């Protein structure tokens, strides 16, 4: 267990209002204000992506996605954030036709990331934007995901295509991208009609979504310059359910 950090993230964007009005909010990373006290922890999180294990649950046999996953319980009133038991990650086939219907076990976030000040601050900030302010505690899932593209072999951030995650709310946050093109993030109606789209390019470019009201998906990424080696796209994915 560890508490809400004394340094907090902030943003002038009315994320809660957008979630209530439209079911989603897309914001630039420049509007996410990260205090100096959290920047070292953010750098530690970003560096950890070089040590992500390959996702073992891709039915196409691909090695284009690397991933860790941790569950938390968060109590807004006290700021308590507890690492929860993690039996694995499950989505229905209806929500994810690509890998749904199976319990997927991933390695936990490393301790310096799992209990890091930046991740704790990001969870606290994000939950504070969600409309269900009366919830006493939240089940929060955090996925650290790197998508890798090789010269002539694209990476697939969401091989399942347009989808919902099967929770109350989701958020997606870019950390970095290197030597890639593509990766268009789209927000859709439940009937898969495009509402808006944006290529995330800057640290903390973010999407917040009411998972019952909107769908989302990301296009494939390709290497920009083969002479520079592989291309990477590093994201933090979160889901939230009131308890």
């Amino acid at each position: 267990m560890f508490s809400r950090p004394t340094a907090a993230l902030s943003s002038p964007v009315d994320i809660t209002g957008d979630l209530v009005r439209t079911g989603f909010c897309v914001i630039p990373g420049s509007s996410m204000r990260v205090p100096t006290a959290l920047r070292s922890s953010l750098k530690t999180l970003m560096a950890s992506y070089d040590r992500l294990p390959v996702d073992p649950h891709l039915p196409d046999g691909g090695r284009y996605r690397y991933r860790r996953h941790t569950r938390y319980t968060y109590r807004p009133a006290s700021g308590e954030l507890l690492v929860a038991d993690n039996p694995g990650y499950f989505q229905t086939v209806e929500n994810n036709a690509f890998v749904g219907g199976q319990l997927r076990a991933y390695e936990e976030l490393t301790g310096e990331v799992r209990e890091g000040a930046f991740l704790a601050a990001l969870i606290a900030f994000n939950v504070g934007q969600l409309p269900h302010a009366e919830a006493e505690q939240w089940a929060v899932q955090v996925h650290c995901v790197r998508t890798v593209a090789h010269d002539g072999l694209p990476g697939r951030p969401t091989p399942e295509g347009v989808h919902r995650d099967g929770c109350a709310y989701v958020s997606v946050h870019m950390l970095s991208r290197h030597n890639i093109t593509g990766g268009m993030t789209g927000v859709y109606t439940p009937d898969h009609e495009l509402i808006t789209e944006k290529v995330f390019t800057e640290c903390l470019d973010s999407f917040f979504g009411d998972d019952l009201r909107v769908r989302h998906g990301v296009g494939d990424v390709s290497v920009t310059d083969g002479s520079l080696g592989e291309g990477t796209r590093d994201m933090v994915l979160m889901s939230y359910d009131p308890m």
Side-chain angles (χ1 to χ4, degrees):
M1 178 183 71
F2 53 101
S3 298
R4 186 193 306 272
T6 55
L9 297 170
S10 62
S11 175
V13 178
D14 183 12
I15 298 170
T16 306
D18 282 351
L19 284 169
V20 171
R21 288 186 293 269
T22 67
F24 74 94
C25 183
V26 177
I27 67 173
S30 59
S31 72
M32 292 282 282
R33 296 169 178 168
V34 181
T36 301
L38 295 178
R39 291 177 185 171
S40 176
S41 181
L42 172 57
K43 290 180 181 178
T44 297
L45 170 61
M46 295 172 71
S48 74
Y49 279 66
D50 290 335
R51 302 184 298 276
L52 291 179
V54 69
D55 186 333
H57 300 289
L58 298 175
D60 59 6
R63 295 180 62 86
Y64 51 81
R65 194 160 69 184
Y66 294 73
R67 189 175 196 142
R68 291 184 187 270
H69 170 241
T70 290
R71 291 175 179 266
Y72 297 91
T73 299
Y74 177 64
R75 297 168 180 164
S78 64
E80 292 177 328
L81 183 65
L82 299 93
V83 176
D85 290 339
N86 190 359
Y89 183 54
F90 181 83
Q91 292 174 296
T92 66
V93 174
E94 179 184 7
N95 288 334
N96 190 328
F98 187 68
V99 290
Q102 60 174 315
L103 187 65
R104 292 178 278 158
Y106 299 103
E107 293 186 29
E108 290 280 332
L109 306 184
T110 59
E112 62 183 355
V113 171
R114 185 178 62 245
E115 300 177 8
F118 177 79
L119 193 58
L122 184 61
I123 291 171
F125 173 82
N126 290 350
V127 171
Q129 313 310 306
L130 304 179
H132 289 293
E134 73 282 358
E136 294 185 0
Q137 59 183 16
W138 291 80
V140 180
Q141 299 191 58
V142 177
H143 305 257
C144 290
V145 178
R146 166 172 282 183
T147 303
V148 177
H150 300 277
D151 194 17
L153 187 64
R156 307 175 68 191
T158 56
E160 65 270 31
V162 178
H163 67 283
R164 65 179 297 258
D165 287 357
C167 55
Y169 296 96
V170 298
S171 69
V172 177
H173 311 277
M174 166 152 282
L175 291 183
S176 67
R177 56 186 283 151
H178 167 71
N179 195 31
I180 59 169
T181 58
M184 180 73 76
T185 295
V187 183
Y188 301 81
T189 70
D191 295 324
H192 293 199
E193 296 177 357
L194 180 65
I195 301 172
T196 189
E197 57 186 3
K198 174 183 172 63
V199 175
F200 287 3
T201 59
E202 302 297 331
C203 184
L204 296 182
D205 280 356
S206 300
F207 158 74
F208 295 81
D210 180 330
D211 199 50
L212 291 174
R213 294 172 61 190
V214 297
R215 306 290 183 264
H216 59 282
V218 183
D220 291 355
V221 296
S222 301
V223 167
T224 302
D225 184 345
S227 68
L228 298 178
E230 67 185 23
T232 57
R233 180 179 186 269
D234 294 347
M235 307 293 294
V236 178
L237 318 178
M238 297 188 179
S239 63
Y240 314 86
D241 286 294
M243 299 174 67

